Amino acid sequence: MSKVFSSDIGFDVALEALRDGALVGVPTETVYGLAADATNEQAVAKIYRSKGRPSFNPLIAHVSGVEMAQRYGAFPEVALKLADAFWPGPLTIVVPLNESCGIADAVTAGLGTIALRHPLGIMADLAEALDAPIAAPSANTSGKISPTTAQHVFDDLGDKVAVILDGGACAVGLESTVVKVDGEKIILLREGGLSAELIEAQMGKIERGTRAPKVEAPGMLLKHYAPRLPLRINAKSVRADEALIAFGTPLDGAMATRNLSKDENLEEAANRMFAIMKELEDSGAHGIAVQPIPHHGLGAAINDRLKRAAEGSGD
Ligand code: AMP
Ligand code: MG
């Protein structure tokens, strides 16, 4: 079983574990990450094994700042401007990979590009101390809900990680927004904790891409997000045997209700969503109904995750 430490006390133990090629559960402002030294091929292989993640789905490399990022990826002017505006923060930037930079091949899944992020907090401090990027997807078994507390990580992967750092509940609570920079263009690959509107306010119009690379593999289906309960989105009414995820004024009649945000605040809703989904899975209900969430701001990312949960296709 893994050892759990508060973030400040456990820093040296976590660093040692990373140097040894072990996995560490690390809090970030988005969700908890399943962290390994991104330059250690064996350590990175453990991430894929422990999560049951398909090897062609590349990982985000977390860095201590734009200087470290530029050792691994080529940053055109637009990418530098994005980093300057939004790092540290919930934005991952995909750029061309620097050949022979020392990153483990499995991190980039053999693509000629690399996804880099400078997170807020202890993950960046660990990368700085390690003097190498830290590869980290969300610290959950592929198919399960992303963890936003150390307890979530312990319950799911406690026997697979050496150390878990407990930094309390994540401030944002949703995975990072992923954009790809292609010359002058910025292409949105995944909605996340930084809204497209905020990026556009700073950078001008960005393109909406398709989420790439696509995760499709025979046999992976069972590992896709399969809530123990069916999830019904955009619900206008609720059955007596259903639990309700409310937004704003709750519908009447559910057997259990949790409100994402009484005040219809999308930041609060994003922050609470994964924890509420987990709670309601254990409520004894036969299904979960979710009230409509507006699609602007962080609502776009919330709706993306809810849709995946309803379809059984998360990671
Ligand atoms: P996560 O699964 O939350 O760790 O998020 C990683 C996301 O970044 C996934 O959607 C990946 O497909 C995406 N990603 C990572 N590296 C790349 C890359 N080089 N090109 C495109 N997308 C990437
Ligand atoms: Mg994930």
Side-chain angles (χ1 to χ4, degrees), residues 58 72 94-99 107-115 180-181:
Y72 296 89
V94 176
V95 292
L97 177 68
N98 287 344
E99 294 304 327
V107 171
T108 59
L111 299 170
T113 52
I114 181 166
K180 180 173 182 173
V181 172

Side-chain angles (χ1 to χ4, degrees), residues 192-211:
L194 177 69
S195 72
E197 285 94 329
L198 277 181
I199 301 176
E200 289 188 323
Q202 195 76 31
M203 306 295 298
K205 199 83 193 141
I206 64 174
E207 289 182 27
R208 267 46 176 184
T210 49
R211 186 189 260 242

Side-chain angles (χ1 to χ4, degrees), residues 51 53 137-138 140 146 175 190 315:
K51 272 184 72 88
R53 181 177 171 111
S138 53
N140 55 282
S146 296
E175 297 88 344
R190 176 178 79 180
D315 182 53

Side-chain angles (χ1 to χ4, degrees), residues 245-250 258-273 276 291-294 302:
I245 298 184
F247 182 79
T249 308
R258 294 285 180 285
N259 207 327
L260 288 173
S261 173
K262 282 204 278 287
D263 307 325
E264 305 194 3
N265 176 320
L266 289 166
E267 277 74 26
E268 183 183 29
N271 185 260
R272 293 161 56 81
M273 177 175 63
I276 285 179
Q291 286 182 232
I293 316 286
I302 295 173

Side-chain angles (χ1 to χ4, degrees), residues 26-64:
V26 180
T28 78
E29 77 278 50
T30 60
V31 300
Y32 273 70
L34 181 62
D37 177 349
T39 63
N40 180 331
E41 200 74 60
Q42 275 89 38
V44 172
K46 283 185 197 162
I47 293 181
Y48 284 94
R49 261 204 316 278
S50 303
K51 272 184 72 88
R53 181 177 171 111
S55 60
F56 47 81
N57 190 8
L59 302 174
I60 295 168
H62 296 80
V63 293
S64 56

